[in-house]
């Protein structure tokens, strides 16, 4: 099969399209013929090996996992001996290792049935970014009408879902984004859009019940000033911050006792089949819609990750892999 492989850390040029063996599913895994794969910032971090501290888990000199890609949609080709919920022919989406390939193996507890009337590309754009947005909003407590939510990075992969999910929960949403993404954020339902190139979001004022920071570029004390007295700041991620630790220092600071009390919360998203099923239901009902910036072919993955690293994407980029049958 063809797949995007990587044998060293670096820029997009370290990625190559190559022929590799079809993987063999373990007892609790399914083998999937991949129809589409989402392009996630985690793929960029593995490609570059940045921040450097991440190599302790990824592999010191080169990635332990050679094939890139984290999220997918496709059709089950074979199931391991202990898989009970899926069988060959089922159409699924979820999270795996090695999604930028014609075939990939995924654990049964990290996949769900593909949402009804949702295409391959749209389903592949849901798993990681959608789960991250769901879990970030939950850290702010149960949704309630009128809750004031500030989403920083509202035009990106996670932010575009966060805006829609917050509005679905009855919140009053302010989205912070660049000029080129402002109209998109309005169409997603934001009550107010702040173009950070023209206006300081701090001028919006304090009093937000929940602040979701996906951008990672503003100091924590400045973000806290946007909160209501009993509000919650969720540090989701963001880029920059240096090659060694990146923005991990912000996550660590959010965990310190001095920032506790339910006001400042770091988020480490977890892959759950239950969350994937919830996302599927929301997408099938039209409550949320994946925003697709651009679709690439498998050979174009290096360009897709280069563009992602430059911060140009509106919503998600996806990789489509030719196939036949329903939804292809």
């Amino acid at each position: 099969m063809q797949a995007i492989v990587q044998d060293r850390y670096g820029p997009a040029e370290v990625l190559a399209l190559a022929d590799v063996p079809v993987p063999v599913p373990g007892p609790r895994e399914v083998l999937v013929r991949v129809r589409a794969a989402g392009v996630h910032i985690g793929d960029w971090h593995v490609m570059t090996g940045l921040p450097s501290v991440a190599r302790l888990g990824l592999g010191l000199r080169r990635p332990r996992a050679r094939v890139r890609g984290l999220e997918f949609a496709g059709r089950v080709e074979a199931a391991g001996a202990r898989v009970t919920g899926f069988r060959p022919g089922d159409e699924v989406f979820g999270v795996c290792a090695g999604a930028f390939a014609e075939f990939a193996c995924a654990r049964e507890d990290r996949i769900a049935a593909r949402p009804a009337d949702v295409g391959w590309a749209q389903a592949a754009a849901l798993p990681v970014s959608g789960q991250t947005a769901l879990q970030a909003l939950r850290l702010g407590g149960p949704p309630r009408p009128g809750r004031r939510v500030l989403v920083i990075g509202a035009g990106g992969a996670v932010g575009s879902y966060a805006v829609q999910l917050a509005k679905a929960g009855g919140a009053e949403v302010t989205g912070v984004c660049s000029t080129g993404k402002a109209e998109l954020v309005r169409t997603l339902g934001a009550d107010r859009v702040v173009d950070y190139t023209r206006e300081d979001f701090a001028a919006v004022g304090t009093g937000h019940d929940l602040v979701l920071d996906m951008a990672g570029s503003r100091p924590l004390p400045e973000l806290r000033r946007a909160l209501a007295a009993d509000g919650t700041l969720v540090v989701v991620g963001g880029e920059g911050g240096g090659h060694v630790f990146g923005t991990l220092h912000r996550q660590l600071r959010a965990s310190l006792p001095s920032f506790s009390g339910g006001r400042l919360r770091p988020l480490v998203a977890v892959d759950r089949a239950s969350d994937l099923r919830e996302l599927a239901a929301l997408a099938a009902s039209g409550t949320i819609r994946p925003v697709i910036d651009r679709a690439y072919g498998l050979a174009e993955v290096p360009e897709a990750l280069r563009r992602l690293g430059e911060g140009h994407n509106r919503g998600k980029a996806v990789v489509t892999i030719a196939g036949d049958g329903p939804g292809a």
Side-chain angles (χ1 to χ4, degrees):
M1 71 170 187
Q2 289 197 309
I4 295 295
V5 301
Q6 174 186 356
D7 294 312
R8 60 188 175 90
Y9 295 116
E13 288 73 22
V14 304
L15 303 178
L17 183 65
D19 288 318
V20 300
V22 174
V24 177
R28 296 187 180 275
E29 293 181 324
V30 296
L31 175 68
V32 175
R33 181 184 292 272
V34 180
R35 296 307 191 199
V39 181
H40 185 257
I41 194 64
D43 301 311
W44 183 89
H45 285 298
V46 179
M47 179 184 78
T48 59
L50 299 175
S52 300
V53 69
R55 300 188 189 189
L56 296 174
L58 299 173
L60 292 178
R61 296 187 178 181
R62 63 182 65 86
R64 294 190 184 95
R66 191 176 183 225
V67 180
R68 295 279 62 76
L70 294 171
E71 51 187 349
F72 73 94
R75 186 176 291 111
V76 175
E77 293 288 311
R82 301 179 68 180
V83 172
T84 60
F86 300 92
R87 60 185 179 181
D90 288 347
E91 296 180 355
V92 298
F93 77 113
V95 181
C96 71
F100 295 150
E102 292 178 305
F103 294 89
C105 290
R107 283 172 37 178
E108 182 179 20
D109 61 351
R110 293 185 178 179
I111 62 175
R114 180 164 72 114
D117 299 322
V118 175
W120 293 118
Q122 287 72 28
L126 279 169
V128 177
S129 299
Q131 287 188 96
T132 302
L134 269 180
Q135 294 170 26
L137 284 164
R138 287 176 189 154
L139 287 178
R144 66 178 187 276
R147 178 168 69 162
R148 297 187 64 198
V149 177
L150 177 68
V151 181
I152 304 171
V158 177
S160 60
Y161 287 118
V163 170
Q164 296 178 79
L165 290 166
K167 282 302 297 180
E172 177 187 324
V173 180
T174 297
V176 180
C177 61
S178 63
T179 306
K181 300 177 183 180
E183 186 56 33
L184 166 65
V185 175
R186 290 190 185 93
T187 66
L188 295 176
D191 299 284
R192 178 174 181 180
V193 177
V194 176
D195 179 350
Y196 69 78
T197 69
R198 300 178 179 179
E199 181 182 2
D200 188 345
F201 77 82
V204 174
T206 61
H208 293 95
D209 302 295
L210 177 62
V211 174
L212 305 181
D213 180 30
M214 286 79 169
S217 59
R218 305 299 287 264
L220 291 179
E222 189 172 313
L223 295 173
R224 290 189 67 177
R225 286 198 292 272
L227 286 172
D230 57 349
T232 300
L233 165 62
V234 179
V235 178
V236 179
E239 304 312 307
H243 283 187
V244 178
F245 290 101
T247 58
L248 291 176
H249 69 284
R250 303 175 81 248
Q251 298 276 11
L252 293 172
R253 287 188 62 194
S255 302
L256 294 175
S258 59
F259 288 99
S260 62
R263 290 178 53 85
L264 198 57
R265 304 286 298 276
L267 173 68
V268 178
V270 178
D271 299 317
R272 301 188 185 103
S274 59
D275 281 352
L276 292 172
R277 290 191 293 268
E278 182 174 349
L279 288 170
L282 290 165
S285 68
T287 303
I288 61 172
R289 63 178 178 90
V291 176
I292 306 298
D293 177 79
R294 184 185 297 186
Y296 298 83
L298 187 57
E300 298 175 303
V301 166
E303 174 58 26
L305 286 176
R306 181 185 295 110
R307 179 177 167 84
L308 176 64
E310 292 170 352
H312 298 314
N313 285 357
R314 299 166 69 251
K316 295 279 291 188
V318 296
V319 176
T320 58
I321 301 173
D324 54 9

